[in-house]
Amino acid sequence: MPPISQRAELMPASPIRKLVPLAEAAKARGTKIYHLNIGQPDVPTPQVGLDALRHIDRTVLEYSPSDGYRSLREKLVEYYAQYQIKLSPDEIIVTTGGSEAVLFAFMSCLNPGDEIIVPEPAYANYMAFAISAGAVIRPVVSTIEQGFALPDIAEFERLINERTRGILICNPNNPTGYLYTRKEMDRIRDLVKRYDLFLFSDEVYREFIYTGSPYISACHLEGIEEHVVLIDSLSKRYSECGIRIGALITKNRKLRDAVMKFCQARLSPPLLGQIVAEASIDAPRSYSAEVYEEYIERRKCLIDGLNRIPGVYSPIPMGAFYTVARLPVENSDDFCAWCLSDFSYEGETVMMAPASGFYSDPAYGRNEVRIAYVLNKRDLTRALFLLEKALEAYNSRK
Ligand SMILES: Cc1ncc(COP(=O)(O)O)c(C=O)c1O
């Protein structure tokens, strides 16, 4: 049999999904699992989006334009204007989720061997997409002690060499929930300008910011407009991960032309998803307000609960719906697997994502986990109780 590609060998397994076989075996034994491991919100999709899907009035489910329907892109222009992001429909390319936007951004901006600098812990799929493009991620590590603030800019500069093509940030951050400050964003801007880099800015969680701090988009930064590639997604803000609609946004015409070639090769973004997306943008303000209030309460429930468990520490995330918490264990990969394979309390257990998968260097994140607060408060409270029981049992095994 011919071998599979080296690229495929290098592709990391998703840290979020790699425990799935253990979870399936636990479920087969009748154990109920509280999923703190994945960013799949349980809140309903806007009714207007569901109605649009129900009442589709078409005789042919056709390909759409490769950059997405203009009517959707026009709606998105209005949406971004609320965040002081001024765009024209031509500057927005609709993609198959934010995932495809990341992939096409890398494919269009990076040659094999090119490097991008990424603060870690980071959304694990960046690594997978970088490998797909033959590019290399150079991490700068943020720490739980500093609340996962942007590492010193000197650490970025130390990594810059002739292969460095860009910086990637996720703001608000998955997995840490950190929100970059104006000062931090200005430092990134200066770096991008000084070294003539791309700035890939993943802002799919902009709707989920819980402090009074302002949201500074990469698109707000003056003087680097042509360098910015904004990654966006409708998955999280309308709880419609399954429609697979996102966007790649850039004012750089040359880059858009390059991205469009990848878009044309994959023909079109999902038709049905675009119909739901366009309708969802018209969801009443009360929809976003309710969802927001719900997440504020969940965040409080989770963070207070975590910090009450002996030996556990979580900073207070400012945005998104995740936190990275430190646990009183030496190896969170082992602990998370053990929670599924060996532990249950009254027939229930918890599933978390070991944080090691969010760092390039396996030396980091050994005692950390990423926890998503996408469950209702009752389930979150129960999951926290189970986590405390699991830690007690795990640490008293020897
Ligand atoms: C930071 C971040 N970017 C991008 C994505 C991709 O989202 P999607 O492809 O569903 O739009 C996710 C999904 O979890 C994410 O957390």
Side-chain angles (χ1 to χ4, degrees), residues 96-110:
T96 309
S99 304
E100 191 180 67
V102 177
L103 178 66
F104 285 179
F106 289 178
M107 291 300 241
S108 306
C109 298
L110 308 173

Side-chain angles (χ1 to χ4, degrees), residues 97-99 123 126 170 174 202 204-205 233 235-236 241 244 322:
S99 304
Y123 177 56
Y126 298 144
C170 178
N174 172 10
D202 182 338
V204 310
Y205 293 101
S233 166
S235 291
K236 314 289 170 165
C241 300
R244 309 308 304 129
Y322 310 94

Side-chain angles (χ1 to χ4, degrees), residues 2 25 44 49 145 179 186 221 280 342-343 369:
E145 289 76 19
L179 178 73
D186 284 347
L221 303 176
S280 299
D342 289 74
F343 173 79
V369 285

Side-chain angles (χ1 to χ4, degrees), residues 127-185:
M127 178 62 86
F129 291 131
I131 289 170
S132 306
V136 178
I137 285 187
R138 302 291 309 276
V140 285
V141 177
S142 64
T143 64
I144 196 166
E145 289 76 19
Q146 301 199 330
F148 296 111
L150 191 76
D152 201 329
I153 224 70
E155 289 189 38
F156 287 76
E157 282 196 284
R158 219 170 288 138
L159 295 180
I160 291 178
N161 62 59
E162 67 285 353
R163 307 269 6 202
T164 312
R165 306 291 294 155
I167 292 173
L168 183 152
I169 54 169
C170 178
N171 188 36
N173 192 274
N174 172 10
T176 66
Y178 190 78
L179 178 73
Y180 293 115
T181 62
R182 171 96 238 178
K183 255 194 191 149
E184 289 171 326
M185 291 299 284

Side-chain angles (χ1 to χ4, degrees), residues 35-36 112 149 159 216 252 267 278 280 293 373 387 397:
H35 285 274
L36 300 175
L159 295 180
I216 312 295
N252 182 325
L267 305 181
E278 195 174 324
S280 299
E293 286 307 318
Y373 43 103
L387 171 60
R397 278 172 315 154

Side-chain angles (χ1 to χ4, degrees), residues 85-362:
I85 298 174
K86 292 191 197 89
L87 297 168
S88 78
D90 295 337
E91 291 163 342
I92 302 174
I93 295 174
V94 178
T95 53
T96 309
S99 304
E100 191 180 67
V102 177
L103 178 66
F104 285 179
F106 289 178
M107 291 300 241
S108 306
C109 298
L110 308 173
N111 285 316
D114 282 351
E115 299 180 3
I116 50 172
I117 304 176
V118 183
E120 289 191 353
Y123 177 56
N125 286 338
Y126 298 144
M127 178 62 86
F129 291 131
I131 289 170
S132 306
V136 178
I137 285 187
R138 302 291 309 276
V140 285
V141 177
S142 64
T143 64
I144 196 166
E145 289 76 19
Q146 301 199 330
F148 296 111
L150 191 76
D152 201 329
I153 224 70
E155 289 189 38
F156 287 76
E157 282 196 284
R158 219 170 288 138
L159 295 180
I160 291 178
N161 62 59
E162 67 285 353
R163 307 269 6 202
T164 312
R165 306 291 294 155
I167 292 173
L168 183 152
I169 54 169
C170 178
N171 188 36
N173 192 274
N174 172 10
T176 66
Y178 190 78
L179 178 73
Y180 293 115
T181 62
R182 171 96 238 178
K183 255 194 191 149
E184 289 171 326
M185 291 299 284
D186 284 347
R187 286 189 192 126
I188 292 173
R189 178 204 54 201
D190 294 347
L191 204 62
V192 162
K193 219 170 167 175
R194 190 169 329 131
Y195 294 97
D196 193 21
L197 304 172
F198 284 111
L199 175 57
F200 305 102
S201 188
D202 182 338
E203 302 179 9
V204 310
Y205 293 101
R206 88 171 56 70
E207 225 84 0
F208 305 93
I209 294 175
Y210 312 111
T211 64
S213 321
Y215 152 64
I216 312 295
S217 167
C219 292
H220 297 149
L221 303 176
E222 280 172 22
I224 57 164
E225 290 79 0
E226 297 278 312
H227 299 241
V228 169
V229 186
L230 187 74
I231 309 294
D232 202 13
S233 166
L234 280 81
S235 291
K236 314 289 170 165
R237 63 177 178 259
Y238 302 124
S239 194
E240 51 195 23
C241 300
I243 67 166
R244 309 308 304 129
I245 296 296
L248 184 155
I249 293 164
T250 181
K251 292 199 174 278
N252 182 325
R253 172 100 202 248
K254 219 168 157 190
L255 176 55
R256 283 203 309 273
D257 290 346
V259 171
M260 274 306 286
K261 292 192 254 177
F262 291 94
C263 292
Q264 283 158 2
R266 66 83 165 101
L267 305 181
S268 72
L271 165 73
L272 301 181
Q274 289 182 82
I275 293 170
V276 177
E278 195 174 324
S280 299
I281 298 172
D282 281 334
R285 266 179 194 279
S286 57
Y287 174 82
S288 321
E290 273 169 36
V291 171
Y292 181 77
E293 286 307 318
E294 177 65 25
Y295 278 108
I296 291 254
E297 288 183 23
R298 289 177 182 191
R299 179 181 74 136
K300 181 165 172 39
C301 170
L302 177 74
I303 305 306
D304 288 354
L306 281 173
N307 286 321
R308 268 200 295 268
I309 301 175
V312 175
Y313 170 67
S314 168
I316 301 173
M318 293 176 271
F321 36 63
Y322 310 94
T323 193
V324 172
R326 188 171 57 210
L327 302 184
V329 298
E330 267 173 31
N331 182 332
S332 62
D333 280 86
D334 184 65
F335 175 65
C336 292
W338 178 88
C339 283
L340 298 168
S341 60
D342 289 74
F343 173 79
S344 74
Y345 185 85
E346 295 172 345
E348 299 182 332
T349 191
V350 279
M351 184 165 178
M352 295 163 294
S356 58
F358 298 88
Y359 295 89
S360 307
D361 183 339

